[in-house]
Amino acid sequence: MLRLGLLGDAGGLDVGGVVEALARPRIAEVVWFTLWSATLGTVGSLLLGVPLAHLLFRRRFPGRTLLRGIVVAPFVLPTVVVGIAFRRLFTGPLDWTGLDGSAVGIVLALVFFNVAVVVRTVGSFWEGLDPRPAQAAASLGASPWRVARTVTLPALMPVLISAASVVFLFCATAFGVVLTLGGLQYANVETQIYLLTTQFLDLQGAAALSLLQVAVVALLLGLTRVGRRRTETGLARGAGGPAPRLGRTDAPVLALAAVVLVLVLAPVAALMLGSVRSGGEWTLAGWERLLGLGAAADAASGTVVPGSGGSAYEAVGLSLRVAVDATLLALTLGVLVSWLVARGPGAAGPGAAGSATSGGVRRRVVKALDGLVMLPLGVSAVTIGFGFLVTMGRPPLDLRDSLVLVPIAQALVALPLVVRTLVPVLRSVETRQREAAASLGAPPWRVAMTVDLPLAWRGLLASAGFAFAVSLGEFGATAFLAGSDRPTLPVLVYRLLGRPGEDNLTTALAGSVLLAVLCAGTMLLVERWQVRSVGAL
């Protein structure tokens, strides 16, 4: 991308070409829309997510685990499914609002997607916060609002800044949502890179825009790090007993939770109803075409969906196979990187093997590796897919027609989540247990199998589930790399939406429901394993 963005056709530095590409009026519109829509999406996610995190992680009531799973599930829903669900809602029950194809509709979809990030990130931290300072302030006569303003919010400020920065990045790099809901009027940086590459073949413009995005992401992460350090108060963390039960003072939060539930469930309900209704009648024809069953599939010439570039049930099988491959790859790389970060030189925690004398160079190398692995979290999946396309698309390594790039790209997208889940788990393993096993003559591999694995297996399963769900619904990078004749299910769903006809629409909706069920079901299993580090971005 650097070569494409900075070098001209003659091979020399082409700063004028970069400036010309970034100075186009359309690019300015795209950047401005990206900034303000991401800002509003971040503010909305925080306003809804923080009270909900308080309810789900600081209060105790029946059904709390199920409610957590429902609220967190949208995070792993494919973005294209989220866009389709909102579009179905805006063109169906809410058609009278005129939100279809509007900027407000896009922002609502961004909030839907990112409330889960705020709830999981802030809630995990809030759950372990020592409640005694707030209790002491209350016992001295401070009102609940004053306790929140002077004690709780300062303690939460570092994680609030982290959550806000991550949500802003997710909103600014949203691809499927904006591509589905924005139509021809609204585009962000992500969709513009995709359009410049696939429709206008303007690779230099796309590369320049990608480099601008990377620079902005690096600047934002740097500012976030500085802000987080300045707001760290050093308040104690620790278990303060079981969370209290719901009380009358929680009524406003309960009302807000009801609003969030409506926001989460309404698009999903519209999507599910749309998959079984066509022409005003109840039908399973869309599901039959999707799974290659029944008369509808026979009518479609052996389950081949016209114009989709492949059959629907083949796309389902391909998506599952690619997701499994990507999960295995992400898990293998994630375990190695997590082990280095958690056990390497300068690592923190009771499981650290390194020390202050281990060598500054090695510590910096490990920190650089940790930062490099986190890069796909800030650099969008579209940029990753585009990077693979321009890097692996020429001899002697021309893999554009190979399916091997898809699981690799998906594994890179899932890798930061795997590492951020496993590192805290590995750090929690006491060094003394490992040293005791080694002193009894156990070789390193047996120490890992008998000490680390029994303590870390929940984290491994959770990270594998997370990687599988993310890979299954990945759309940004896959849209670049999936061949026209071998689309994965998210890509097939998007292609079907672009074609006329009620049959294509119901098949696309059925595919969206299947994706949502698989991803949300995997996420609910992960939630039941109760690995606190999941989502600790």
Side-chain angles (χ1 to χ4, degrees):
M1 286 190 294
L2 280 171
R3 185 187 59 79
L4 278 175
L6 299 179
L7 303 183
D9 295 334
L13 184 63
D14 186 15
V15 179
V18 176
V19 173
E20 186 277 330
L22 296 179
R24 298 169 191 164
R26 177 60 178 169
I27 298 299
E29 293 177 6
V30 166
V31 172
W32 172 239
F33 175 76
T34 303
L35 290 177
W36 73 257
S37 64
T39 302
L40 289 182
T42 303
V43 172
S45 300
L46 287 173
L47 290 177
L48 294 178
V50 172
L52 203 58
H54 169 79
L55 178 69
L56 296 178
F57 288 87
R58 297 290 285 189
R59 288 294 181 268
R60 185 161 47 96
F61 56 90
R64 186 176 67 164
T65 302
L66 176 63
L67 192 57
R68 278 187 192 179
I70 294 174
V71 171
V72 175
F75 177 61
V76 294
L77 289 184
T79 56
V80 66
V81 171
V82 174
I84 293 170
F86 270 86
R87 189 175 176 186
R88 187 66 184 174
L89 184 66
F90 294 153
T91 57
L94 297 183
D95 187 37
W96 56 274
T97 62
L99 289 174
D100 184 38
S102 70
V104 176
I106 294 174
V107 172
L108 284 176
L110 294 177
V111 172
F112 165 89
F113 189 74
N114 288 289
V115 162
V117 179
V118 176
V119 170
R120 201 64 177 89
T121 306
V122 177
S124 299
F125 184 88
W126 206 341
E127 189 176 32
L129 202 63
D130 191 345
R132 287 173 296 184
Q135 293 169 354
S139 67
L140 293 174
S143 64
W145 164 245
R146 190 168 185 181
V147 171
R149 184 171 58 83
T150 59
V151 178
T152 307
L153 280 180
L156 292 177
M157 192 54 68
V159 73
L160 288 177
I161 292 175
S162 295
S165 62
V166 170
V167 169
F168 184 86
L169 285 176
F170 285 164
C171 291
T173 58
F175 178 60
V177 169
V178 179
L179 190 66
T180 308
L181 293 176
L184 299 176
Q185 186 175 0
Y186 296 104
N188 63 0
V189 171
E190 290 290 281
T191 56
Q192 190 65 20
I193 292 172
Y194 179 74
L195 294 175
L196 286 175
T197 304
T198 60
Q199 296 192 13
F200 300 103
L201 300 179
D202 183 4
L203 297 185
Q204 186 180 23
L209 206 52
S210 298
L211 293 177
L212 174 65
Q213 183 190 52
V214 172
V216 172
V217 166
L219 177 63
L220 178 63
L221 291 178
L223 293 176
T224 301
R225 181 183 292 269
V226 172
R228 194 169 51 196
R229 285 179 177 173
R230 288 185 176 180
T231 54
E232 285 178 348
T233 59
L235 290 182
R237 286 171 56 83
R245 292 183 177 277
L246 285 174
R248 292 182 179 178
T249 57
D250 296 313
V253 181
L254 279 174
L256 190 63
V259 173
V260 175
L261 276 181
V262 170
L263 178 65
V264 170
L265 295 179
V268 177
L271 190 67
M272 296 179 71
L273 287 176
S275 70
V276 292
R277 284 189 68 83
S278 177
E281 297 180 354
W282 297 100
T283 175
L284 293 176
W287 284 95
E288 292 174 349
R289 280 188 293 273
L290 180 72
L291 302 175
L293 303 172
D298 296 336
S301 302
T303 70
V304 174
V305 180
S308 66
S311 64
Y313 71 89
E314 286 178 353
V316 175
L318 179 63
S319 292
L320 292 174
R321 291 197 303 273
V322 170
V324 170
D325 293 341
T327 301
L328 293 175
L329 186 57
L331 206 58
T332 303
L333 294 175
V335 168
L336 294 175
V337 173
S338 302
W339 187 271
L340 284 175
V341 173
R343 301 277 182 196
S355 67
T357 60
S358 296
V361 175
R362 285 187 293 171
R363 284 200 299 274
R364 284 193 288 272
V365 170
V366 172
K367 289 182 70 174
L369 176 64
D370 188 25
L372 186 65
V373 169
M374 291 299 109
L375 197 59
L377 196 61
V379 179
S380 69
V382 168
T383 300
I384 292 175
F386 178 59
F388 270 111
L389 190 68
V390 299
T391 306
M392 304 292 184
R394 62 184 59 204
L397 194 61
D398 188 354
L399 298 177
R400 284 176 298 180
D401 296 328
S402 171
L403 200 60
V404 71
L405 290 180
V406 178
I408 294 176
Q410 292 183 357
L412 283 181
V413 174
L415 185 59
L417 303 175
V418 173
V419 172
R420 277 296 166 265
T421 300
L422 286 180
V423 166
V425 174
L426 293 176
R427 280 177 175 167
S428 68
V429 180
E430 288 284 349
T431 304
R432 287 171 296 184
Q433 298 182 32
R434 308 182 76 253
E435 291 174 345
S439 66
L440 294 173
W445 66 268
R446 190 165 185 181
V447 172
M449 295 297 293
T450 56
V451 177
D452 294 287
L453 186 60
L455 296 173
W457 69 270
R458 282 178 179 270
L460 283 171
L461 286 178
S463 56
F466 222 155
F468 179 78
V470 170
S471 302
L472 189 64
E474 208 288 319
F475 177 62
T478 310
F480 274 98
L481 302 173
S484 58
D485 57 338
R486 289 174 297 183
T488 60
L489 189 53
V491 175
L492 178 67
V493 166
Y494 177 71
R495 289 178 184 175
L496 288 173
L497 279 180
R499 297 191 60 80
E502 193 73 15
D503 291 347
N504 288 322
L505 177 61
T506 53
T507 307
L509 294 176
S512 301
V513 172
L514 180 61
L515 271 175
V517 168
L518 290 173
C519 294
T522 305
M523 195 61 208
L524 285 174
L525 285 176
V526 170
E527 189 67 24
R528 284 186 62 85
W529 291 325
Q530 298 182 344
V531 179
R532 289 188 178 187
S533 55
V534 169
L537 305 175

